[in-house]
Amino acid sequence: MLRKLVVGNWKMNLTPREGVATIEAFVEAVERCEEVQVAICPPYMTIPRVHPILHGTHIELGAQDCFWLDEGAFTGQVSAKMLAAEDIQFCIVGHSETRGRFGKLDIPESTVGFFAETHETVNLKIKALLMYSIHPILCVGETLAEREAGTTDSTIRAQLEGAMAGIDGSELEGFVVAYEPVWAIGTGQVCPSDEAGRICRFIRDWFRTTYGDDVASLRVLYGGSVKASNAKELFAQEGIDGGLVGGASLVAKEFSQIVDAAWR
Ligand code: PEP
């Protein structure tokens, strides 16, 4: 059976110094849970600071995004090649915040376009990550408007088709997909666990139909307001192989309770 995977996405939170303190508390709290695979995705600047602390632990390091070309005149970007040089094992791609599909707008709408990546850029990023043997964590999910219009499944199918175009089944070892309903991210509004399980099974079925048995090691996570109080019920659902956790991964104690919920 696949080990459950719990990934913390710190987003643009914690300075490098605060990140080091959080990781230190975190290693102590999470070290005992070897039955669960755990990864943390801090901001790029924090990665070299926390790397030595995680060395020798079973906690792995991820990034929150990448650019698909190795180098060049792309101000502000970080390539998959650079992440590989820092021994990064996972990288989030297609997060609703980088796709510009915000669930709850607390910034001017005019800025959303700056983040907006497309199916094509998500696909290019996945290909770059696979080339450097970094496991992608591909995020998919519907907005509230799409859910209310009854297009949840077709939205996710289109995201999967776009993201996976031209990718061979033999490249999927360690591949991760996170079902993240946009309306549940950072809103405190969690998707009902049976529905989260249904969509995670729908995602696995899509991979099985597209790739056959090559998807044995695929993990499908749920993300969207996961907390210590709801993690156990979510992780118990058939088809949910763990969680992608935003806000609740910033506090070592809360995150370690979520990790505990994945194996107890
Ligand atoms: C996320 O960032 O992917 C996420 C799910 O955030 P939160 O847990 O805060 O909803």
Side-chain angles (χ1 to χ4, degrees):
M1 206 173 86
L2 284 173
R3 265 195 309 165
K4 287 239 186 320
L5 170 65
V6 178
V7 181
N9 173 16
W10 284 3
K11 312 192 187 192
M12 196 177 70
N13 291 297
L14 306 180
T15 62
R17 191 183 295 229
E18 291 164 343
V20 165
T22 304
I23 283 284
E24 281 170 348
F26 185 62
V27 166
E28 226 174 275
V30 166
E31 252 313 73
R32 61 187 190 285
C33 287
E34 291 200 4
E35 290 81 352
V36 182
Q37 192 175 6
V38 180
I40 290 286
C41 303
Y44 294 129
M45 283 177 72
T46 304
I47 287 174
R49 299 277 291 273
V50 299
H51 202 279
I53 303 169
L54 294 183
H55 187 75
T57 75
H58 76 283
I59 301 166
E60 297 173 272
L61 206 43
Q64 299 176 17
D65 196 10
C66 70
F67 194 74
W68 56 90
L69 294 177
D70 283 351
E71 57 208 7
F74 302 101
T75 303
Q77 301 302 304
V78 171
S79 66
K81 180 185 178 184
M82 293 169 181
L83 297 178
E86 283 293 311
D87 288 332
I88 294 295
Q89 285 105 6
F90 292 96
C91 182
I92 296 169
V93 279
H95 193 283
S96 61
E97 288 154 15
T98 59
R99 289 184 196 255
R101 294 162 59 83
F102 288 81
K104 182 187 63 154
L105 269 185
D106 54 7
I107 56 171
E109 207 160 336
S110 58
T111 64
V112 172
F114 290 134
F115 301 98
E117 61 178 330
T118 62
H119 293 323
E120 192 183 359
T121 60
V122 172
N123 178 252
L124 288 167
K125 289 176 183 185
I126 291 174
K127 287 175 176 162
L129 290 168
L130 294 175
M131 197 156 74
Y132 286 101
S133 303
I134 298 172
H135 303 310
I137 301 173
L138 165 64
C139 298
V140 296
E142 81 288 1
T143 61
L144 187 58
E146 287 160 344
R147 173 156 286 267
E148 285 173 351
T151 59
T152 296
D153 296 12
S154 58
T155 298
I156 291 168
R157 190 181 304 113
Q159 289 171 339
L160 293 172
E161 284 168 359
M164 301 307 293
I167 294 171
D168 194 76
S170 61
E171 300 176 272
L172 295 182
E173 178 67 35
F175 201 93
V176 182
V177 181
Y179 167 52
E180 297 217 311
V182 180
W183 48 273
I185 296 178
T187 59
Q189 205 185 333
V190 66
C191 183
S193 56
D194 54 346
E195 172 65 356
R198 183 189 76 79
I199 306 264
C200 288
R201 293 192 296 277
F202 170 83
I203 291 169
R204 180 171 289 280
D205 284 347
W206 183 88
F207 273 85
R208 223 180 254 130
T209 307
T210 308
Y211 292 107
D213 290 339
D214 285 337
V215 297
S217 73
L218 175 82
R219 247 93 53 99
V220 185
L221 312 182
Y222 168 78
S225 298
V226 176
K227 296 189 174 33
S229 56
N230 58 29
K232 203 170 178 53
E233 185 183 337
L234 285 160
F235 298 163
Q237 292 295 316
E238 192 197 331
I240 299 185
D241 303 314
L244 178 54
V245 184
S249 69
L250 297 168
V251 180
K253 189 164 178 237
E254 174 91 8
F255 192 57
S256 71
Q257 286 170 351
I258 293 172
V259 172
D260 271 3
W263 70 285
R264 280 184 201 273

